[in-house]
Structures are given as structure tokens and as C-alpha cells.
Amino acid sequence: MSEHSMSRRALLAGAATIPMAAGLGFTKANAAGHAQGPQIPRVNRFGVGDFEVTTMLVGSRTVEEPQTIFGMNVGADEFAAVSAEARIPVDKAQFFFTPTLVNTGAELILFDTGLDGAATTQAVEMAGYSADAVTHVVLTHMHGDHIGGLMTNGAETFANAAYITGQAEFDHWSGTDNEGFANNVKPLAEKMSFLGDGDSVTSGISAKAAFGHTPGHMTYMLDSNDQQLLILADLANHYVWSLAHPDWEVRFDMDKAAAAASRRSVLGMLAADSVPFIGYHMPFPGVGYVETRGDGFHYVPHSYQLLL
Ligand SMILES: [Zn+2]
């Protein structure tokens, strides 16, 4: 997803708010006292083989008129029917922003940096680490909600980290005059290393090209002690609309046909191999499985499989 979808101020307000209820418009009182509003957990940890994996909610926001973003190429009736079947409204959607920490035992690797440095630092601390403990920052792609936390007040948020991203992604944005890239990525370019499809971040973590959302968007496969999990990033951004109908056009997909083809290919692999995934914009904690259903896919949220 891209920061262009909403005002930056609104995003930052959502990111910094604790509890995360401010954007939810939920203010009923009850007889027992003040209503507290919805409460979403912010940190969720589980295992993948010998890796410890933590998803962190750094922002959440209610968005109106979601069909201006998802299912742009289908009629309102079809959008309404698919939404009703999944028991979600058509006039509002809840967005989530979920960076992931992977502790391999030797490294502490942060996948994507959220909307701003302060909110992500706070989430990292809630997960039990300091920002200085992060050894590597991996950028799946360079939309503002993924690179916005790289810098805090002009300084590196993760001062001891090495930076890793896709070569094609970096090459694309360095040929534009994008403000987010100029402010957050360019100052760190000298310290970055660049990956292609199949290259490794470290032992047991490899990049997999999934182009379309952006020209160099990559997912990352974790593989430890016979368990796997795919960090899906923005390959599919809604747990119903993007999975049930991978061909529905998404406003933030820069190449809509390539994004749809990547969705079909990657989701098909996850379903066939029963590999769990983390979706950056999926309902928190953002972890689930995919099964095939009809011409598309169905989201099966993680329960306890990765806790055992
Ligand atoms: Zn995004």
C-alpha cells in the first residue's frame, strides 16, 4: 500500500496512538463506566524452526470507500456480494501496518520500518528489544508505509543496522524524484546491499521476486529446521478482496497485471505447500495460511500452529 492513499498526517496520527482505537470511531458508553474502545494487541511472537518471529502493529486506520482501492475493475454488486459473504462492510475497511522482527539467534532482522521511526521504535521496545539491537533492516519495497521509519529526526532509527533491499526496487526509485525515497532511502544508499531473486539475506532467509505492486517488490522466505514462513509484504493487501479474487485491481499496484500474476503464483505455492505467511496489511497479527477456494484463495488465520 502507499502513503499516497491517505494524508500523511492521518497516517502518523494512527501510527502514534495507543491504544489503537482513535481511528476506529467507537465511542459508546456503557452502564459500567467509560467505554474503552476497541483494543488491538500490538506484539505477537511465535516460532519458525529455530527462528523467533515477532509481528508488530505500528499503525491501524479506518478507510472509507474501499472499492476505490480494491476491486476497481469489478461492479459494485460483485464487490458487495463478496464482502457480504465474508461478513465485512463495503463502506469501510480497517488497514493495518505490520513490520516483522526475525531473531535468528545470530541476527535481529527487521522487515520494513512502518510509517515513522518513533512508532516503530516503540513497537520494537514493546517486543523486548532496543532499536540499537537491530542488526539488519530489510526493505521489501519502497512505498512510504514501509520506508517511513528508517529515519527519525534526520538520524538513523536503527543505528547499528545494515540495510538490504532488492536491486530492481532500488534502481526504480533512484530514477524518480520521489520524496519518501529522497528523505529516507537515499541518505542510507552507501550502506545498502542489494539482492536479486533467490539471493540470501542470511542463512535460511532468501528473497523471492514478486514484482507488480512495485517494480522490484520482493517477498522473503524463512526456512529453519524444516519449517517455512513467507514474509509476503504487499503481494496481497486484503485478506478477502485480494485473496478471493487475485485479479481484482488494486489502486496501489503499479503494474496491475504483473501484480495479479504474482498473487496467483505465490498464493498458489503457499496453498499447495501449506506454508504460513505474514501479510503486512492483513488484520493483526497478520499471520495465516492460504487454501484454494473456487477460482481464488481463502485466508485461514493462524491460531496456535506456530506456538508448538
Ligand atoms: Zn504497504
Side-chain angles (χ1 to χ4, degrees), residues 1 54 56 58 97-101 109-116 120-121 124 134 136-150 158 164-165 169 213 217-220 231-235 278-281:
M1 231 165 265
T54 308
M56 301 174 294
V58 298
F97 301 86
T98 311
T100 294
L101 273 175
I109 305 172
L110 175 67
F111 289 84
D112 291 332
T113 66
L115 304 148
D116 83 316
T120 302
T121 295
V124 167
V134 173
H136 298 75
V137 172
V138 177
L139 302 171
T140 63
H141 67 294
M142 297 187 179
H143 277 157
D145 52 325
H146 299 255
I147 62 172
L150 282 168
F158 306 99
I164 298 169
T165 193
E169 186 70 0
H213 180 69
H217 177 274
M218 303 250 264
T219 63
Y220 287 85
I231 295 178
L232 195 71
D234 281 16
L235 178 96
I278 294 169
Y280 191 82
H281 296 293

Side-chain angles (χ1 to χ4, degrees), residues 86-281:
R87 296 169 183 79
I88 53 174
V90 294
D91 60 338
K92 285 180 190 174
Q94 192 69 19
F95 285 12
F96 303 82
F97 301 86
T98 311
T100 294
L101 273 175
V102 177
N103 185 345
T104 66
E107 300 107 348
L108 183 64
I109 305 172
L110 175 67
F111 289 84
D112 291 332
T113 66
L115 304 148
D116 83 316
T120 302
T121 295
Q122 186 185 56
V124 167
E125 288 171 355
M126 289 177 76
Y129 300 103
S130 70
D132 288 349
V134 173
T135 61
H136 298 75
V137 172
V138 177
L139 302 171
T140 63
H141 67 294
M142 297 187 179
H143 277 157
D145 52 325
H146 299 255
I147 62 172
L150 282 168
M151 307 290 285
T152 303
N153 300 325
E156 288 178 65
T157 308
F158 306 99
N160 298 317
Y163 300 95
I164 298 169
T165 193
Q167 182 77 60
E169 186 70 0
F170 182 85
D171 290 349
H172 168 77
W173 293 103
S174 47
T176 70
D177 59 4
N178 178 270
E179 191 186 331
F181 179 87
N183 292 339
N184 293 294
V185 177
K186 215 168 173 192
L188 307 172
E190 293 290 309
K191 304 170 75 171
M192 282 191 179
S193 49
F194 303 102
L195 304 182
D197 185 24
D199 289 345
S200 292
V201 172
T202 185
S203 177
I205 304 180
S206 57
K208 287 187 175 296
F211 301 157
H213 180 69
T214 59
H217 177 274
M218 303 250 264
T219 63
Y220 287 85
M221 182 66 87
L222 312 184
D223 198 329
S224 172
N225 207 7
D226 293 329
Q227 287 193 351
Q228 289 186 313
L229 177 141
L230 186 70
I231 295 178
L232 195 71
D234 281 16
L235 178 96
N237 279 338
H238 191 277
Y239 80 103
V240 175
W241 301 318
S242 300
L243 264 58
H245 297 280
D247 306 322
W248 278 15
E249 289 183 1
V250 180
R251 191 166 91 214
F252 307 123
D253 289 345
M254 293 171 68
D255 181 334
K256 293 180 182 13
S262 289
R263 269 193 289 281
R264 285 211 176 270
S265 161
V266 174
L267 295 173
M269 179 274 292
L270 293 178
D273 297 344
S274 297
V275 172
F277 74 95
I278 294 169
Y280 191 82
H281 296 293

